[in-house]
């Protein structure tokens, strides 16, 4: 394991994604089904039905859109780069800042958030905003890396070492439960989601991670070693998968 100290504060992540967003998008375009299990797990937990209005925040380049049909999907983003990349793919992504969403009260049946909130130190404000836009009877699903998980060690130690801008964050833990509670949200589900990110072979999987996490200081074979050491892999016959995990809270207001 590497002993790496992140080189930047996570306060700068909005700017970092203006730089890293295109590499992230390139990864998601090259291997669009790599994270299918992740999106499908959250969609399943959200119990989405046709006709619903679903808000995805932060949406990145609107990658959730592959997994939802017959709903109105609205992406929210802080990064201009991601918003432009999504708009170029004819996806509906709106920019927001200061944790304030450009949406009216009680307009969403579901609010989803995947792997973005560890960039936000004080999450209470954004949880309050999610609650404000939620319809009565609606549901919020927030999924992110847990502070005590092997995924956090991979991100902060390995990715942090090979990404020019480092990696650090405010991951999910006991304080997240308190912040959800403080925002007036009732936690109805609280669990780890374990699944695989998949590709056709180890080289493709490592290349995907290298681009997704902006590990420009590593070559593909170094990233493959990091994946094996920190995450572990599973051979699936025609594919290979790496172990990934997010902690998911389901909430009502
Ligand atoms: C790992 S990506 C996740 C994007 C998308 N949900 C996905 O699963 O592919 C992290 C996201 O966090 C966003 N982000 C970075 N800093 C942020 C901040 N301070 N507040 C809100 N979002 C932020 C980035 O723009 C990016 O969309």
């Amino acid at each position: 394991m590497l002993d790496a100290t992140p080189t930047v504060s996570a306060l700068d992540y909005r700017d970092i994604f203006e730089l890293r967003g295109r590499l992230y998008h390139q990864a998601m375009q090259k291997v669009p089904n790599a994270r299918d299990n992740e999106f499908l797990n959250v969609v399943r937990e959200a119990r989405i039905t046709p006709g619903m209005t679903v808000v995805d925040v932060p949406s990145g380049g609107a990658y959730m859109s592959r997994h939802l049909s017959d709903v109105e999907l609205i992406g929210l983003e802080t990064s201009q780069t991601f918003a432009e990349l999504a708009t170029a793919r004819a996806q509906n992504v709106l920019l927001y800042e200061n944790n304030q969403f450009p949406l009216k009260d009680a307009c969403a049946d579901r609010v989803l958030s995947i792997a973005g909130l560890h960039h936000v130190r004080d999450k209470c404000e954004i949880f309050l905003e999610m609650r404000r836009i939620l319809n009565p009877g609606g549901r919020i699903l927030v999924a992110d890396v847990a502070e005590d998980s092997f995924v956090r060690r991979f991100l902060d130690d390995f990715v942090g070492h090979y990404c020019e801008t480092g990696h650090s964050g405010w991951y999910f833990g006991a304080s997240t439960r308190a912040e959800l509670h403080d925002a007036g949200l009732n936690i109805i589900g609280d669990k780890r989601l374990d699944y695989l990110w998949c590709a056709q072979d180890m080289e493709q999987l490592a290349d995907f991670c290298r681009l997704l996490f902006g590990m420009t200081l590593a070559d593909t074979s170094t990233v493959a070693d990091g994946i094996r050491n920190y995450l572990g892999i599973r051979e699936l016959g025609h594919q290979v998968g790496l172990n990934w995990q997010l902690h998911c809270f389901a909430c009502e207001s």
Side-chain angles (χ1 to χ4, degrees):
M1 299 276 163
L2 295 163
D3 179 20
T5 307
T7 53
V8 290
S9 154
L11 280 173
D12 303 321
Y13 262 91
R14 191 177 152 202
D15 299 332
I16 286 172
F17 272 101
E18 298 299 358
L19 302 169
R20 260 188 52 200
R22 283 178 199 282
L23 287 179
Y24 191 100
H25 190 68
Q26 212 180 318
M28 295 299 286
Q29 297 286 97
K30 274 176 100 169
V31 199
N33 54 350
R35 294 172 61 214
D36 278 0
N37 292 327
E38 182 163 306
F39 291 102
L40 291 172
N41 259 298
V42 172
V43 166
R44 191 185 55 236
E45 297 291 325
R47 301 190 188 169
I48 293 164
T49 55
M52 283 184 167
T53 298
V54 179
V55 171
D56 180 25
V57 55
S59 65
Y63 310 114
M64 178 60 83
S65 59
R66 292 181 71 239
H67 305 285
L68 290 178
S69 53
D70 302 325
V71 300
E72 185 189 0
L73 178 60
I74 303 168
L76 298 176
E77 248 303 324
T78 55
S79 151
Q80 178 95 37
T81 301
F82 273 131
E84 283 169 9
L85 290 166
T87 307
R89 296 168 59 234
Q91 299 299 327
N92 183 16
V93 171
L94 307 172
L95 276 173
Y96 74 95
E97 49 185 9
N98 301 323
N99 294 331
Q100 303 297 304
F101 303 158
L103 295 173
K104 60 181 174 19
D105 294 357
C107 66
D109 300 298
R110 296 289 184 267
V111 179
L112 312 179
S113 182
I114 301 182
L117 293 180
H118 65 276
H119 299 307
V120 180
R121 183 204 293 261
D122 176 4
K123 303 185 205 335
C124 193
E125 205 172 45
I126 202 162
F127 289 154
L128 275 169
E129 194 63 354
M130 289 178 177
R131 182 178 166 216
R132 181 186 68 76
I133 64 164
L134 192 68
N135 264 335
R139 183 175 284 205
I140 295 171
L141 264 290
V142 291
D144 213 315
V145 174
E147 62 190 4
D148 61 354
S149 68
F150 63 97
V151 174
R152 187 202 65 78
R153 287 189 288 281
F154 172 73
L155 292 178
D156 283 359
D157 296 356
F158 187 77
V159 172
H161 189 78
Y162 289 109
C163 175
E164 278 181 78
T165 50
H167 198 285
S168 62
W170 297 281
Y171 301 98
F172 276 12
S175 62
T176 315
R177 276 184 203 90
E179 287 171 308
L180 287 165
H181 183 261
D182 289 350
L185 291 167
N186 184 22
I187 299 173
I188 56 167
D190 182 343
K191 63 161 105 161
R192 297 281 162 106
L193 304 174
D194 285 283
Y195 48 87
L196 300 171
W197 285 6
C198 296
Q200 66 191 28
D201 54 35
M202 201 55 208
E203 191 178 340
Q204 191 186 54
L205 196 56
D207 184 49
F208 175 77
C209 288
R210 185 176 173 276
L211 290 171
L212 194 82
F213 296 118
M215 288 188 274
T216 49
L217 303 177
D219 58 21
T220 307
S221 104
T222 303
V223 175
D225 288 345
I227 290 170
R228 286 193 190 89
N229 292 337
Y230 283 82
L231 304 172
I233 59 160
R234 200 174 328 152
E235 299 288 348
L236 302 167
H238 61 296
Q239 282 197 316
V240 60
L242 62 77
N243 296 309
W244 201 257
Q245 183 193 74
L246 294 182
H247 196 101
C248 181
F249 292 105
C251 306
E252 291 173 348
S253 100

